[in-house]
Amino acid sequence: MNKKGLARWSEQVYAREGVAPLLLALQDEAGEDVLLLLLAAWLQLQGRGLSVDVWQRVHEQQARWRGELMLPLRQARRVLAQQADLQAQYQRLKAIEIEVELQRLQVLEGRLGRGDQADQAMQAALAAACSGPVIGQRAQLLTQLAGLLSLR
């Protein structure tokens, strides 16, 4: 069982070769929430799962948080990235964005408590975190991500 906290585990797994590009592709090309995918993988590695109704509530809360805070922050960071004379500000905003996301992972972990035992495969856990059908490019990216995240 993985006893690391969600935020710490997420930082370590995000740094693995190939994980960040897949997560960002799922975010930017398939509209997925990186934090929910990391949450699903972390729970799966612990042998835990969430019921459909709990996932639905988590999705709703996360969508509000993402829309009100993260999307505007991400948009501002991406605008700064295009400005050669504002790279120092870009780097500070990027660090703030990461810090806010790590704090959010701690909040998610705290709200979920112990959870139910799960016997699903990692890919099923990731699919449960997705907002749409797991087909096409989304399915391919999730399959690759499941393989990378299953490495302990």
Side-chain angles (χ1 to χ4, degrees), residues 24-38:
L24 293 175
L26 282 159
Q27 171 187 281
D28 295 340
E29 298 168 26
E32 294 304 332
D33 187 299
V34 168
L35 301 185
L36 292 183
L37 291 168
L38 289 168

Side-chain angles (χ1 to χ4, degrees), residues 34-48:
V34 168
L35 301 185
L36 292 183
L37 291 168
L38 289 168
L39 171 64
W42 181 74
L43 288 169
Q44 176 59 34
L45 288 173
Q46 292 189 353
R48 297 168 54 189

Side-chain angles (χ1 to χ4, degrees), residues 2-143:
N2 187 335
K3 296 189 186 234
K4 293 178 189 170
L6 174 57
R8 182 170 175 226
W9 176 84
S10 295
E11 283 183 294
Q12 291 174 343
V13 81
Y14 195 86
R16 287 183 190 163
E17 185 175 341
V19 172
L22 282 172
L23 286 170
L24 293 175
L26 282 159
Q27 171 187 281
D28 295 340
E29 298 168 26
E32 294 304 332
D33 187 299
V34 168
L35 301 185
L36 292 183
L37 291 168
L38 289 168
L39 171 64
W42 181 74
L43 288 169
Q44 176 59 34
L45 288 173
Q46 292 189 353
R48 297 168 54 189
L50 300 176
S51 65
V52 172
D53 62 321
V54 172
W55 269 119
Q56 185 176 12
R57 286 195 305 272
V58 170
H59 270 282
E60 291 167 1
Q61 293 167 355
Q62 190 67 4
R64 281 193 302 277
W65 177 82
R66 185 175 52 251
E68 293 171 2
L69 180 62
M70 291 314 297
L71 292 179
L73 186 58
R74 186 175 300 140
Q75 182 179 10
R77 177 183 50 80
R78 288 177 174 171
V79 168
L80 288 175
Q82 304 302 315
Q83 307 296 318
D85 57 334
L86 297 174
Q87 289 309 293
Q89 292 81 359
Y90 164 79
Q91 291 299 328
R92 285 198 303 261
L93 192 54
K94 182 178 176 182
I96 290 169
E97 184 179 358
I98 291 168
E99 184 179 334
V100 168
E101 288 180 324
L102 290 171
Q103 177 64 34
R104 181 61 179 180
L105 288 170
Q106 291 174 346
V107 168
L108 287 169
E109 180 181 1
R111 287 187 181 166
L112 294 178
R114 183 59 199 126
D116 299 324
Q117 293 299 314
D119 59 358
Q120 301 173 2
M122 175 68 76
Q123 194 167 343
L126 293 173
C130 290
S131 58
V134 181
I135 56 174
Q137 183 175 6
R138 180 182 282 138
Q140 292 172 356
L141 293 169
L142 284 172
T143 299

